[in-house]
Each structure stands twice: as structure tokens, then as C-alpha cells.
Amino acid sequence: MKRYKATVNAAGMWVETILYAQNQAQAYALFKAIFGSANVPHQPQQIA
């Protein structure tokens, strides 16, 4: 599992959040499922 970071809109505030996924596509799908597709404007970035 790898860590991915994304800036998302949560309750009207833009915050950086991290989750674990196997690849970038899964991470992006998870972020969109958790926060809604309109609240995740960019692809997540893998972090060390």
C-alpha cells in the first residue's frame, strides 16, 4: 500500500488529507467516494 495526498473540500474548507491505496486510480476513486467528486478537483499525489 502507498500513501496518497489530496486537497479536498470538506464542509466548505479546503484541507489536505492522506489515505492508503494500491495505486493512484484507486486513491482517486476513494477520495471521490469519501468527499464527493466535485470536492476532489485534482488527482492525488503519492507521498513517501
Side-chain angles (χ1 to χ4, degrees), residues 1-4 19-23 26 30 46-47:
M1 299 291 269
K2 301 171 186 165
R3 293 191 316 167
Y4 291 90
L19 58 70
Y20 288 86
Q22 291 185 358
N23 57 47
Q26 287 183 352
L30 283 168
Q46 182 179 345
I47 58 175

Side-chain angles (χ1 to χ4, degrees), residues 2 17 21 32 36 39 46:
K2 301 171 186 165
T17 186
K32 291 195 300 185
N39 296 319
Q46 182 179 345

Side-chain angles (χ1 to χ4, degrees), residues 21-40:
Q22 291 185 358
N23 57 47
Q24 187 179 31
Q26 287 183 352
Y28 193 40
L30 283 168
F31 278 120
K32 291 195 300 185
I34 294 167
F35 296 101
S37 60
N39 296 319
V40 186

